[in-house]
Amino acid sequence: MKFITVIILLLASLCAFCAEPVCEVAYNKDISRRSQQGMAVWGDMVLAFEHGGHCVVYDRSDGALRKMGEFDVESSSPDNHCNQANFGVEKLPSGHMPVIYLSVSKPGSPLDMRCHVENIYRKGGKWNSHLVQTIELDTIGWRARNLNTIFGAPSWLIDRERGNLWVFSAHRRTIPKYTPEFADNKLVAIRFRIPLLSEGKYVKLGADDILEQVVGQPRLG
């Protein structure tokens, strides 16, 4: 049986002088069936998403993780890698927490450029999820605007404080077949506004929607 160890960084103390963070093992997860992907924390709840769209909910209120339940998100599919999980700023009346943004991030899949927005709720003691919006990245027209292109597999990250939606990727895929020298690649970050849920079930973000693009070189060592 295969296991993955999930590490949580705990702040040693809140004082005038910053102490080194302490690394402690939170739990050992059985990955014999599915690989662990994105994870999000809301209050005392930990949501651990797995490849394909399965989610396990844990309670961490007593200092150790206790399983509360599990469910499949509505957008679950063999191509839904759930590589990142981020809470948004909007909360629906039925939601147990703000809506959550799940990056597909699966190169070669027709869903690769999508982000699924799910509303997670609990009814009758059972956890469930409803797909409320799909956001898709459209890279057509980027070159004409002198914008750096990306290979795919975008990571969708929410800046709740400033109300921004950031997409992170790279110019080329960072595997030896496409980028023999990692330092030769370019890391690309693109800033958008967060689409409102009221804008509909499907939103496409393209060149006209880009508010900022930041490009950097990978550094080794």
Side-chain angles (χ1 to χ4, degrees):
M1 185 177 292
K2 297 181 179 179
F3 290 87
I4 183 171
T5 298
V6 178
I7 303 296
I8 293 181
L9 293 177
L10 300 176
L11 187 62
S13 62
L14 295 175
C15 60
F17 300 97
C18 293
E20 289 293 324
V22 177
C23 294
E24 295 182 359
V25 175
Y27 70 109
N28 291 319
K29 178 181 173 57
D30 176 12
I31 58 168
S32 59
R33 292 184 304 165
R34 309 179 186 91
S35 63
Q36 177 66 58
Q37 297 302 321
M39 180 179 286
V41 177
W42 187 259
D44 287 327
M45 288 182 293
V46 176
L47 282 76
F49 292 89
E50 303 169 351
H51 172 74
H54 189 74
C55 179
V56 182
V57 184
Y58 297 93
D59 178 2
R60 63 181 187 125
S61 59
D62 59 358
L65 293 189
R66 177 179 57 84
K67 185 176 176 181
M68 298 176 66
E70 56 187 304
F71 63 95
D72 289 332
V73 295
E74 188 176 353
S75 60
S76 64
S77 76
D79 281 346
N80 191 355
H81 195 44
C82 290
N83 210 40
Q84 286 81 30
N86 291 261
F87 288 110
V89 296
E90 291 189 78
K91 181 179 181 298
L92 295 175
S94 60
H96 203 77
M97 59 200 72
V99 293
I100 197 163
Y101 291 70
L102 301 175
S103 306
V104 172
S105 291
K106 193 174 190 306
S109 166
L111 307 180
D112 180 40
M113 301 295 241
R114 292 187 175 186
C115 174
H116 295 128
V117 186
E118 298 265 354
N119 178 43
I120 297 172
Y121 59 94
R122 194 177 187 183
K123 187 175 182 181
K126 183 179 178 182
W127 290 92
N128 219 321
S129 181
H130 177 56
L131 178 64
V132 294
Q133 190 175 71
T134 297
I135 307 172
E136 187 160 17
L137 189 64
D138 181 6
T139 59
I140 295 175
W142 284 24
R143 290 185 185 276
R145 292 174 179 252
N146 294 319
L147 294 167
N148 283 269
T149 57
I150 62 173
F151 79 92
S155 298
W156 303 76
L157 303 176
I158 299 292
D159 180 350
R160 287 172 50 86
E161 182 179 346
R162 300 171 184 82
N164 292 319
L165 170 59
W166 284 89
V167 171
F168 290 86
S169 188
H171 183 60
R172 295 190 300 273
R173 191 174 181 186
T174 49
I175 58 175
K177 178 180 178 180
Y178 301 104
T179 311
E181 296 294 332
F182 180 61
D184 292 339
N185 207 351
K186 291 181 180 179
L187 304 181
V188 183
I190 310 107
R191 181 168 64 92
F192 299 93
R193 65 177 180 84
I194 303 175
L196 297 173
L197 298 180
S198 60
E199 293 179 48
K201 297 278 287 184
Y202 177 81
V203 175
K204 181 176 285 188
L205 296 178
D208 291 339
D209 301 298
I210 294 176
L211 301 177
E212 180 183 4
Q213 188 181 75
V214 181
V215 180
Q217 294 292 136
R219 292 184 179 182
L220 300 179

